[in-house]
Amino acid sequence: MQIDRITSEDCAALIERAGLSLNQAQFEAALRSYGRLRELAESLRIPRNRAAEPAHLFHVPASPHAGASAFAKTETRRETGDE
Amino acid sequence: MPEIWELGLSAISRLIGQRKLSPVDVLDHYLDRACRLNPTLHCFNTIDAERARIEARSSEAEMSRGLYKGRMHGIPFAVKDIIDVEGVATTNGSRLTINEVAKTDSAVVQRLRAAGGIYMGKNETQEFAMGGPDFSLPFGPARNPWDIERFTGGSSSGSASAVSAGAVPLAIGTDTGGSIRTPSAYCGIAGMKPTYGRLSRRGITPQAFSLDTVGPMTWTVEDNAIALEALAGFDPEDPSSVEIAPQPWSQAPALGLQGMKIGLVRRFHEEERDRFSNECISAFETAALLMKDAGAETVEVRLSPLRHYFAAQRIIMYGEAAAIHEYDLRHNIEQYGPFSVERFLPGYLLTAVDYVQACRRRGELVHELAEVFRFVDLLLVVGALSVAPRMKDVARNSLVNGTPSANAPFNLTGSPAMSVSAGLNADGFPLSVQIVGRNFDEFSIYRAAHVVEAGMGCRNIRPHAAR
C-alpha cells in the first residue's frame, strides 16, 4: 500500500475492519480523503528519540485506603465464606 | 435613541442594574427580533418564549425585592444545540438525536441561570459540531446576516448568526478546531475559546474529548468578558475542569496594553501565503500597529509550521470523534447527513500508531508554545483565511482537504484564543484577527482584543439582515 494512494480493495478492507457499511458515495468520499489524511499523519513522524513520550502518559489515580476498597471487601467476604 | 438590541449586553446590563430597563422589556424585544429574523437566518432550532417570559418576570420580581445578582441578571442568552437544557431536546442538529430531551441543565446553563441569565433558545449547529452547511438535515443551515448566501462558518453557526444579527446578546458556542472563532470571524463578532479546563463541559455532546472547549460569543469584547465571569468555575463532575481562580475579566478592556509584549506570528500565513487573502493579512498588520500604538512592544515570533499544529489537531480530532460515533456510524449511518459522514470517515482510516504519534507531536508543540510565552505576554495570529465564502462553495471534505486553519493550533495546545473583529473589507464583509494568551490568562487577551476592536471602530456597523 502506497502512502499517498490506496486501492479500492484496500480501502474496502479498512472500512470493513472499522465495522462500517458505506454506500457508494460514502465509500468514494473515504477513498478521496485517504491521500491527504496520510499526508497529515506522515507529517507527525519527525525524528525523535525512542523514549520521547511527552504527551501520551497514563496518570495513575491515587488509590483509596484499602479498607474502603470494594475489591478488598470482596476478598474478605470470600475468605470468611460470607457471600 | 438606539433600540435595545443596539445597546448590546454591557449597556443593557448597566441599565437593568440601574432599574432603567426591565428584564421583561429586554426579553420581549429580543424574542420579537429572534422570531422575526429566524425564518431568514435559521439561527435558532428552538425559541423557548414561554419559559423565558416566566424567568424574566421572576428576575424583575427579584430586583424589585432588592436582589440583584450581577451583570448577567436579566440578560437573555442562547446555547448551541449540543448543550443540554433541562426539558429541551439536545438535537445536535441531527435526525439521530432529534427527540433526545435533556434531563438536567448543562454546567454552563446552570451557571448562567445562577447568575440571573434568561435562557431564550437553542442555536442551530452543524450536525454533532462536525458536519457542514447541510440542507438535507431538519434544521438550518444558519445564514450569515452580512449576506444570507454566505457561510456563517461552523460549527457554532447559529450562535454567531444570532449574535451578529442582534437576535440575542449572548450565545454559547463550542470550539474543537475553531468552531467558536471561525463563525465569530465570518459573522463579525467577538468569540472566546477559553483555556481548556476553564469552563465545564458537563452536559455538552462531545466532539473530541481532549480538544473540546465551550465559550461565549458576543458583539463586543466587553460583553464577552462579562459573560465569561458568569460562566467560569471549577466543576468536579467534568474530568477536564481545572480548579483555578477566575479573573476580573470585565475590568480588562479599560486597561490598555502599556508594558505588554506581543508576539507576531507571521510565519503561519507567510508559509501558506497563497491561501490567506490579502485583506486578512492586512487586518493582521493593522491590529499589530494598533497594539503598538497602545503602548505594547511587538516582536516577531517563529513557531513550527502551521501544518504541523494542524496535522496533530486533525488526527486527534478524527480519532476521538470516530470513537465517540463508532456505534451509531456502524448501526445508524443513514441517520447522519452527508457532510457529517464524510467528515467522520477519516477517523476510521487512521491507525492507533497515527493517533499516538499525534499525541507525541502535541506534547512537543505544547512545550514549544510554553517556551514562547516565557518571552511574550500574548500572540497575534491571523484570523480566518478570508471573509465568509459563499455557502455553495463549502466542500464536504474541507476539514481534511482544506487549508490548514490558524485556529486549530490552539485547541491542540489548550491555549485561550479569541477571534476579534478587525473591521470590514471593501465589500462590507467582516475581517478578524486572533489573539492568543498564556494558559488561564484570558484577562490579557481581553485587554488586547479591546484595543483592536476600539481601534478598528466598527462596532456601530451592523449587518444588513439585522435591520
Side-chain angles (χ1 to χ4, degrees), chain B residues 44-63:
Chain B
F44 284 91
N45 289 355
T46 312
I47 298 173
D48 204 342
E50 195 177 334
R51 175 153 58 164
R53 285 200 175 97
I54 292 168
E55 290 180 12
R57 283 197 293 272
S58 169
S59 285
E60 194 151 289
E62 285 170 343
M63 288 181 210

Side-chain angles (χ1 to χ4, degrees), chain A residues 15 17-22 26 29-30 32-33 36-38 40-41 43-46 48-50 52 54-56, chain B residues 307 310-312 315 329-330 333 341-342 345-346 348-350 353-354 357-361 363-364 400-402:
Chain A
I15 296 298
R17 187 190 65 175
L20 302 180
S21 177
L22 304 183
Q26 291 162 346
R32 276 198 306 275
S33 70
R36 172 71 172 136
L37 190 68
R38 287 310 324 154
L40 291 177
S43 73
L44 303 168
R45 271 85 173 175
I46 61 167
R48 56 167 75 85
N49 186 296
R50 286 188 184 85
H56 207 65
Chain B
R307 283 169 180 271
F310 180 77
I315 300 298
L329 283 166
R330 282 180 175 179
I333 196 168
V341 171
E342 192 152 341
L345 283 176
Y348 300 98
L349 304 176
L350 294 169
V353 180
D354 292 332
Q357 297 293 26
C359 290
R360 295 174 95 186
R361 193 76 186 106
E364 292 157 357
V400 64
N401 285 346

Side-chain angles (χ1 to χ4, degrees), chain A residues 54-67:
Chain A
H56 207 65
L57 300 174
F58 171 61
H59 297 280
V60 181
S63 298
H65 186 271

Side-chain angles (χ1 to χ4, degrees), chain B residues 249-294:
Chain B
W249 292 295
S250 61
Q251 295 172 26
L255 295 181
L257 280 177
Q258 199 70 44
M260 296 199 79
K261 198 168 179 180
I262 315 287
L264 307 179
V265 186
R266 289 197 176 90
R267 185 177 187 186
F268 278 1
H269 56 264
E270 283 176 351
E271 288 185 343
E272 307 284 342
R273 185 63 193 85
D274 55 329
R275 294 171 182 255
F276 283 89
S277 72
N278 287 336
E279 53 204 12
C280 289
I281 295 170
S282 295
F284 172 95
E285 295 299 340
T286 306
L289 285 174
L290 287 168
M291 289 175 166
K292 209 169 174 180
D293 286 350

Side-chain angles (χ1 to χ4, degrees), chain B residues 10-191:
Chain B
S10 171
I12 292 170
S13 164
R14 202 163 27 250
L15 291 169
I16 287 177
Q18 294 166 353
R19 307 297 311 277
K20 291 177 180 169
L21 255 184
S22 141
V24 173
D25 291 344
V26 170
L27 177 75
D28 282 343
H29 182 78
Y30 277 109
L31 281 175
D32 177 62
R33 288 186 62 77
C35 291
R36 185 159 50 82
L37 292 168
N38 203 41
T40 305
L41 297 177
H42 303 274
C43 50
F44 284 91
N45 289 355
T46 312
I47 298 173
D48 204 342
E50 195 177 334
R51 175 153 58 164
R53 285 200 175 97
I54 292 168
E55 290 180 12
R57 283 197 293 272
S58 169
S59 285
E60 194 151 289
E62 285 170 343
M63 288 181 210
S64 298
R65 295 198 305 271
L67 175 60
Y68 178 62
K69 294 177 176 173
R71 300 293 304 271
M72 275 303 298
H73 204 167
I75 301 293
F77 68 90
V79 299
K80 181 176 180 175
D81 200 1
I82 66 167
I83 300 175
D84 285 351
V85 175
E86 183 185 355
V88 181
T90 304
T91 74
N92 300 295
S94 179
R95 283 183 286 267
L96 192 68
T97 48
I98 197 163
N99 294 317
E100 287 193 5
V101 176
K103 291 189 176 69
T104 54
D105 282 343
S106 55
V108 287
V109 170
Q110 280 176 355
R111 292 194 67 87
L112 286 174
R113 280 189 160 146
I118 294 166
Y119 163 71
M120 205 175 100
K122 288 285 196 79
N123 293 125
E124 186 271 349
T125 172
Q126 292 180 356
E127 190 176 26
F128 286 108
M130 189 79 162
D134 193 331
F135 285 87
S136 73
L137 293 172
F139 303 105
R143 310 300 203 275
N144 192 321
W146 296 89
D147 176 354
I148 60 171
E149 298 300 320
R150 287 184 186 256
F151 189 33
T152 53
S155 58
S156 306
S157 325
S159 302
S161 174
V163 168
S164 179
V168 73
L170 165 66
I172 307 303
T174 63
D175 193 316
T176 302
S179 289
I180 286 175
R181 288 162 290 159
T182 301
S184 295
Y186 285 170
C187 294
I189 65 170

